[in-house]
Amino acid sequence: MKISEIFKNKGKTVLSFEVFPPKKTSGFESIRSAVDQIAVCAPDYISVTYGAGGNIANTFTRDIAAHIKNDCKIEAMAHITCVNNTKEEVLTVLDGFADAGIENILALRGDINPDVPPKTDFKHASDMISFIREHSKYDHIGISGACYPEGHTEAQNLTEDILNVRKKIDAGAEELITQLFFDNEFFYEFRDKAKLAGINVPISAGIMPVTSKTQIERMVTMCGASLPQKFVRMITKYEHRPDALVDAGIAYAADQITDLLASGVDGIHIYTMNNPYIARKLVSMIGKLL
Ligand code: FAD
């Protein structure tokens, strides 16, 4: 089922999780087992990231997504990036997804690696979305896009970035998932401005429960998310007590989600980091609020 239909049918906030595939064959079984434990929480769908680990890892994106869909019986979304794919390669990947029964993709440009020249068939995610929509054999595949409550790091400003997000919708994306953020006010401002820009598709808020100081430093470097004082105090207090930091990170995420639900958010997308403890504990805290 297309994710857009889940949004239409459910009539309340859609809950989704994100997992990442193994980088090597040796990691496949342990990630499949983590996914099985995460699937017990019965989210509306689970998405699987794509890209950083080369061709083998990208085959694992398909295989993990197929496992979610066919064995766990939960709707799956496979991510796909165009920075490292030609048009022909995108069609090959899509055929692989379709053969595996996967009906949803998150269409992304991908991050540009300064050491690897990008392939040039597509400049932006919206170009890939238009290209896919030219092929009627993929009409059964639902397409989602990414968006950035604090603006994408390459954009001049939030308004320019939102107008670029609008291009993804015009090209055929049916819903959006946000980059992680730790201050809900950025999300509310983004949502208001997106509406003014004519973006009327569901927007899921991407929430990452923090599990370690290194993780947060890496994420902030990559995506430039702001860290509110309340969040910094939490990290500073628990950075040397790993178990306490995980629980504090989950509590912070639950607090963010409670506020988002009160504001009528369309969807909550949890970056699980393949950690069943995080997924289960968070759902036990917010499950009844959805
Ligand atoms: P684009 O939409 O192409 O945007 C990139 C920049 O170009 C922005 O500054 C935008 O304002 C601008 N722009 C966009 N369209 C146009 C246009 N038509 N004309 C001019 N300027 C334009 N990365 C991975 O490698 N694998 C993953 O699995 C993955 N999953 C992700 C999941 C989510 C929910 C999110 C939010 C991000 C994910 N990423 C992933 C990261 C993503 O690839 C990067 O953020 C990347 O830098 C931008 O991707 P995009 O699809 O938003 O690009």
Side-chain angles (χ1 to χ4, degrees):
M1 185 192 287
K2 282 189 182 183
I3 303 299
S4 57
E5 283 170 42
I6 298 181
F7 275 100
K8 269 184 219 139
N9 297 342
K10 196 162 182 204
K12 58 180 188 171
T13 305
V14 166
L15 177 68
S16 55
F17 289 163
E18 183 171 303
V19 298
F20 54 80
K23 288 195 171 68
K24 295 181 183 156
T25 311
S26 56
F28 192 83
E29 281 312 317
S30 71
I31 290 195
R32 190 159 66 170
S33 156
V35 166
D36 287 345
Q37 294 171 61
I38 287 169
V40 170
C41 300
D44 293 297
Y45 71 92
I46 301 178
S47 83
V48 188
T49 65
Y50 180 97
N55 286 342
I56 295 182
N58 294 335
T59 308
F60 292 148
T61 297
R62 180 200 64 202
D63 294 347
I64 295 284
H67 175 65
I68 291 164
K69 167 98 184 179
N70 302 320
D71 303 326
C72 303
K73 308 289 180 208
I74 291 177
E75 204 48 67
M77 170 192 277
H79 299 198
I80 176 171
T81 59
C82 58
V83 70
N84 47 0
N85 279 317
T86 62
K87 287 182 174 175
E88 208 182 318
E89 286 163 344
V90 163
L91 296 181
T92 305
V93 174
L94 286 181
D95 285 341
F97 289 168
D99 289 349
I102 296 156
E103 292 175 85
N104 295 284
I105 60 166
L106 179 62
L108 300 144
R109 183 196 68 184
D111 282 322
I112 294 173
N113 178 340
D115 301 325
V116 182
K119 294 195 177 168
T120 52
D121 278 7
F122 305 104
K123 201 159 178 223
H124 292 292
S126 53
D127 302 326
M128 175 167 62
I129 297 170
S130 301
F131 172 72
I132 296 171
R133 280 293 168 247
E134 283 165 17
H135 294 73
S136 56
K137 74 185 272 208
Y138 304 117
D139 281 356
H140 68 289
I141 293 196
I143 305 181
S144 302
C147 62
Y148 303 84
E150 298 185 57
H152 185 264
T153 48
E154 292 164 34
Q156 296 295 322
N157 53 55
L158 184 61
T159 305
E160 177 199 285
D161 198 37
I162 288 173
L163 294 174
N164 288 330
V165 170
R166 169 74 200 257
K167 292 176 189 163
K168 302 185 202 199
I169 310 303
D170 293 344
E174 292 156 290
E175 54 278 313
L176 295 168
I177 305 176
T178 76
Q179 180 62 275
L180 59 94
F181 58 90
F182 299 105
D183 179 345
N184 288 357
E185 295 310 317
F186 287 114
F187 177 82
Y188 299 138
E189 185 191 348
F190 172 84
R191 190 172 59 178
D192 289 349
K193 287 189 167 169
K195 201 147 261 162
L196 286 175
I199 295 175
N200 291 313
V201 300
I203 304 176
S204 287
I207 299 294
M208 178 175 280
V210 170
T211 54
S212 75
K213 196 173 179 210
T214 331
Q215 173 210 8
I216 192 63
E217 284 166 353
R218 199 178 58 240
M219 289 301 162
V220 168
T221 310
M222 270 171 63
C223 70
S226 307
L227 303 182
Q229 280 307 311
K230 184 178 159 183
F231 184 84
V232 174
R233 276 196 298 275
M234 184 261 290
I235 298 273
T236 308
K237 174 146 177 83
Y238 296 114
E239 63 177 302
H240 301 301
R241 292 171 55 198
D243 289 352
L245 181 59
V246 170
D247 279 6
I250 293 170
Y252 191 95
D255 189 42
Q256 265 192 288
I257 293 170
T258 304
D259 180 54
L260 288 161
L261 290 170
S263 87
V265 69
D266 299 316
I268 298 287
H269 185 74
I270 298 172
Y271 297 102
T272 68
M273 308 303 289
N274 292 357
N275 185 326
Y277 176 78
I278 289 180
R280 289 209 206 132
K281 185 141 189 182
L282 197 44
V283 167
S284 77
M285 291 166 85
I286 56 112
K288 285 193 185 139
L289 311 182
L290 289 164

